[in-house]
Amino acid sequence: MSPVSQLLFRRRPVVIGTVVGALLAVPGLSAAATASHHPPQPAPVVTRAGLDPALVQGRGATVPFIEQEAENAATTGEKIGPGREAYTLPAEASGRTAVRLNQAGQYVEFTLSKPANALTLRYSIPDSASGGGLRSPLDVLVNGKRTKTMTLTSEYAWLYGMYPFSNDPNVDPIPGWWKPEPDPVAKPFRPNHFYDEQRLLLGKTYKAGDKVRFQVPAGAAAAWTVLDVADFELVASPLRQPARSLSVRLFGADPTGQRDAAPAIDATIAVAKKLGWTVFIPPGTYQVNRHIVVDKVTVQGAGNWWTIIKGKVLPLAEPAPDKSVHSAPGFYGKYADAGGSTKVHLSDFAIESDVRERIDTDQVNGVGGAIGGGSTIQNLYLHHTKVGIWLDGPMSGLLIKNNIVTDAVADGMNLHLGVSNVRATNNFVRNSGDDGLAMWSEANAAGLANHDNVYDHNTVQTPVLANNIAIYGGRDNAVTDNLVADPIREGSTLHAGSRFGSTPFEGTLSFARNTTVRGGPRDLNWDLGLGAIWLYALQSNMSGKIEVTDSSFLDSTYNAFMFVVDWPVKDDYALTNVAFRNIKVDGTGTNVVNARVGGWATFENVDARNVGAPFVNNCGTFHFTGTPEFDVRLGTGNDGNWTTDAGSPGHCEDRPPVVPPAPPSPWN
């Protein structure tokens, strides 16, 4: 979903800074600054969202891999960051910190904490001068012996300019659209989406204590290589073909990826549906360049490391009925206007697509259409898609679990148009180009709102644009037990907004038992710090009950909680009926509460510490009558400087200075 920037109130111009100007070239770091050739060998540091796992226990997805940050490993490179300013490499890194290798021979070396036979590496290398990307090698050594050579690429990274972005480093700003930069703007203009990731099977199982080194070889094409995080995994053997199933190989599917396998997969589905059997896709790489339409069928692979659906984005001779101008690999239910699909079960395969630019009319998602009626989507790996899973209703009844979505150009997942009774649980989303997980209850002719959907126990990290988890309208939806970290710009970790033509918020929207990490970034267009959770009444009153309970807000760049309205409608729309209860706030750069709207919210058992500004910044609707238009209703059990540090009832500081907090720590 496009997070279209909209004017909030009168702003002063903002200078983004010139830090992005040199990103296409070797950053100005001296080679003399590199560490010695024999750095100390630290013990393996396992993290989740860049933090000690104890700080986020019980939140987010249970994943099969072990996360290790490059900055915690042995290295002869140079640490970059921490930094949170958009359009910079540190800001888009997991934990806001990474390691840059500037010359041949430099490396990052990890020590395995558990046995592993596979890994995923998140990295960045420069773009080409024309914007099409380049490729560069990186050696992988285990215990000092070269095991593999990876070919890194920037072909799926590096976008520029304003939404919907461009691959051209010389793109100009959109004429007439407000922008904070002075003229002429620095080129490349607003580079972003720097990182990509790649999976690698090591060929054997290595034990805990073994050393895995990533080293730049001589003659590498990239002027620099930034390593962010490595995920180490013990991948199980391929799944065997289940009983009562048909293999796509029987119908001629080529497992080498040389020939188009889509017709064979279609033929297998047709026969399997008649028999009531499962479609099985054995280990291999299968070329698919279009949608595989599924209805009342089970399609299972041998595991998402073993069964790979891989294809290209191809231009269509004329636009498709769904307005697409390209095709790409994807499994789609029938669209809702064709009746939708039911009893679909997709599992245990990967989709490696080839989407390199954002075209919003294109249906080039990993999974799409309308899939409900007791369907399941699980154990998929969705990579280089436009959106990992985008479902257009009306539809109802779906379980989405244990999937990994990375390096999407737009959303990780979006439930759109009258979607109900969907549970998305234990999914991992990283480096989405828009909202990580979204529920978009767009108003439609049928008058059907999104309702009774749940996002629970998911991990969402580093959305480059917009929010980790966003709810746009709807009724009785829930966001629970998630771990969300490191949003970059024009959004934050948790969001609910009356935006994008959404239906009103009705019933209860529940945010419960979530942990946000390094949320609340600066919105560049508004020159304003957001909240780790921010509620935005843009197109209507938000009067449905919103409950935020039993959650932790860690290391927020600006505010923990933000309530806001658009300046032109500040006297028309309000935010009411919001309750915060049993909350821990550990670290804010500015306030705990920033209210820039009329309405009210209640706060009970909200404990806050390491707060950089007065706890409450209450600007209301900027009438400055002496009584703010937003009522901060303090209940019992709120620990910290809620009353003594809140200033007068009408205390309002437009843009308080940021005081970076201490790192989060266990709460006694």
Side-chain angles (χ1 to χ4, degrees):
M1 173 180 305
S2 165
V4 179
S5 302
Q6 303 180 55
L7 295 179
L8 177 63
F9 42 73
R10 298 183 184 93
R11 323 173 189 86
R12 55 183 181 239
V14 181
V15 177
I16 295 294
T18 60
V19 291
V20 301
L23 282 176
L24 291 179
V26 181
L29 293 179
S30 168
T34 57
S36 99
H37 288 290
H38 302 285
Q41 294 291 320
V45 178
V46 173
T47 56
R48 293 185 64 215
L51 289 180
D52 181 345
L55 295 175
V56 296
Q57 188 173 8
R59 306 287 164 79
T62 300
V63 294
F65 52 80
I66 301 295
E67 171 192 294
Q68 292 195 43
E69 296 278 351
E71 63 270 18
N72 296 328
T75 183
T76 54
E78 181 152 357
K79 186 170 87 170
I80 60 171
R84 306 193 188 187
E85 191 67 14
Y87 312 127
T88 66
L89 283 159
E92 292 191 16
S94 171
R96 314 289 189 158
T97 310
V99 172
R100 180 157 39 203
L101 308 177
N102 290 319
Q103 60 190 35
Q106 290 187 323
Y107 64 83
V108 175
E109 185 171 82
F110 298 89
T111 300
L112 295 181
S113 63
K114 290 185 176 182
N117 59 8
L119 62 88
T120 301
L121 180 68
R122 187 168 193 257
Y123 65 89
S124 179
I125 61 174
D127 199 358
S128 63
S130 64
L134 57 83
R135 298 182 183 185
S136 190
L138 184 69
D139 286 342
V140 182
L141 299 87
V142 182
N143 299 326
K145 181 180 179 181
R146 188 172 70 85
T147 303
K148 303 275 187 177
T149 296
M150 303 176 74
T151 300
L152 308 185
T153 180
S154 56
E155 294 164 300
Y156 299 98
W158 291 87
L159 298 175
Y160 306 91
M162 296 174 168
Y163 171 86
F165 315 115
S166 168
N167 286 320
D168 182 4
N170 294 307
V171 68
D172 291 314
I174 297 173
W177 189 256
W178 184 88
K179 61 179 178 60
E181 298 91 344
D183 287 318
V185 297
K187 296 293 184 71
F189 177 51
R190 296 187 180 179
N192 70 95
H193 213 278
F194 304 124
Y195 288 88
D196 195 24
E197 57 187 64
Q198 203 173 119
R199 284 178 150 189
L200 180 69
L201 287 166
L202 293 171
K204 61 175 289 187
T205 298
Y206 294 94
K207 64 183 183 300
D210 285 344
K211 312 287 186 184
V212 179
R213 175 182 295 190
F214 300 95
Q215 182 169 304
V216 178
W224 49 264
T225 300
V226 169
L227 303 187
D228 177 27
V229 64
D231 299 327
F232 296 100
E233 184 171 348
L234 186 61
V235 175
S237 299
L239 298 173
R240 294 184 177 182
Q241 182 172 344
R244 298 175 61 83
S245 69
L246 292 176
S247 169
V248 297
R249 297 280 305 274
L250 291 175
F251 294 80
D254 174 16
T256 71
Q258 298 300 305
R259 299 191 309 275
D260 183 6
I265 296 174
D266 286 340
T268 313
I269 288 173
V271 175
K273 286 179 65 174
K274 291 179 181 179
L275 296 174
W277 284 19
T278 292
V279 173
F280 181 67
I281 309 180
T285 297
Y286 299 85
Q287 182 192 144
V288 173
N289 304 305
R290 59 169 172 82
H291 297 174
I292 300 294
V293 178
V294 288
D295 182 33
K296 298 181 178 63
V297 68
T298 296
V299 180
Q300 178 188 323
N304 63 46
W305 281 87
W306 304 108
T307 297
I308 314 297
I309 305 298
K310 187 172 184 176
K312 297 289 186 180
V313 175
L314 300 177
L316 297 174
E318 58 184 35
D322 62 14
K323 301 182 180 179
S324 295
V325 295
H326 294 88
S327 67
F331 283 74
Y332 272 61
K334 295 186 295 184
Y335 289 121
D337 59 7
S341 291
T342 61
K343 298 179 181 178
V344 172
H345 304 284
L346 306 175
S347 68
D348 301 297
F349 58 86
I351 296 177
E352 284 280 358
S353 193
D354 190 41
V355 180
R356 307 183 190 197
E357 61 180 333
R358 177 167 177 163
I359 301 174
D360 278 350
T361 56
D362 270 352
Q363 283 280 355
V364 288
N365 309 313
V367 179
I371 300 176
S375 298
T376 57
I377 301 168
Q378 57 187 339
N379 302 325
L380 303 185
Y381 176 75
L382 306 174
H383 194 216
H384 291 153
T385 60
K386 175 186 162 188
V387 177
I389 300 172
W390 179 290
L391 300 173
D392 288 305
M395 49 156 283
S396 182
L398 172 65
L399 176 64
I400 306 171
K401 68 181 293 188
N402 301 343
N403 302 290
I404 296 174
V405 181
T406 64
D407 301 327
V409 170
D411 298 10
M413 185 187 306
N414 197 311
L415 307 181
H416 177 229
L417 282 176
V419 175
S420 62
N421 298 297
V422 172
R423 182 188 179 197
T425 181
N426 211 66
N427 302 288
F428 180 88
V429 179
R430 184 163 59 196
N431 198 40
S432 60
D434 211 307
D435 291 322
L437 302 177
M439 298 183 196
W440 183 15
S441 182
E442 187 178 19
N444 55 77
L448 299 175
N450 281 16
H451 66 88
D452 295 290
N453 303 300
V454 179
Y455 283 149
D456 73 278
H457 293 92
N458 303 290
T459 296
V460 186
Q461 294 180 251
T462 59
V464 175
L465 181 72
N467 308 277
N468 295 70
I469 300 180
I471 311 299
Y472 303 106
R475 169 170 55 85
D476 293 321
N477 296 302
V479 177
T480 69
D481 302 281
N482 300 286
L483 173 60
V484 285
D486 296 321
I488 314 302
R489 61 190 179 96
E490 296 177 42
S492 194
T493 36
L494 298 174
H495 175 58
S498 169
R499 308 172 65 186
F500 308 116
S502 66
T503 64
F505 285 93
E506 299 176 305
T508 299
L509 171 60
S510 175
F511 291 95
R513 299 177 304 281
N514 299 293
T515 294
T516 75
V517 182
R518 296 176 296 271
R522 179 167 72 99
D523 186 283
L524 299 167
N525 293 321
W526 295 346
D527 185 25
L528 185 72
L530 299 178
I533 183 168
W534 67 298
L535 310 180
Y536 187 17
L538 173 63
Q539 295 175 336
S540 65
N541 286 315
M542 290 176 62
S543 56
K545 182 182 291 186
I546 298 177
E547 294 187 334
V548 184
T549 60
D550 303 294
S551 296
S552 298
F553 296 83
L554 308 181
D555 196 5
S556 301
T557 307
Y558 282 82
N559 312 285
F561 320 139
M562 186 177 186
F563 311 86
V564 70
V565 67
D566 192 31
W567 177 268
V569 293
K570 65 187 179 66
D571 296 319
D572 299 326
Y573 301 142
L575 265 161
T576 59
N577 207 12
V578 182
F580 287 78
R581 186 172 63 254
N582 302 330
I583 303 293
K584 303 290 188 190
V585 176
D586 191 355
T588 66
T590 55
N591 316 103
V592 178
V593 175
N594 190 353
R596 309 172 80 91
V597 63
W600 58 269
T602 63
F603 301 84
E604 181 181 358
N605 292 328
V606 179
D607 298 343
R609 67 186 185 190
N610 298 319
V611 175
F615 272 38
V616 178
N617 192 35
N618 195 345
C619 295
T621 56
F622 297 94
H623 290 289
F624 303 107
T625 60
T627 301
E629 296 84 6
F630 193 84
D631 187 6
V632 178
R633 301 178 181 177
L634 297 179
T636 60
N638 299 307
D639 289 346
N641 296 324
W642 282 96
T643 55
T644 60
D645 200 24
S648 65
H651 172 81
C652 172
E653 188 172 3
D654 194 28
R655 291 169 174 83
V658 176
V659 179
S665 61
W667 204 287
N668 295 326

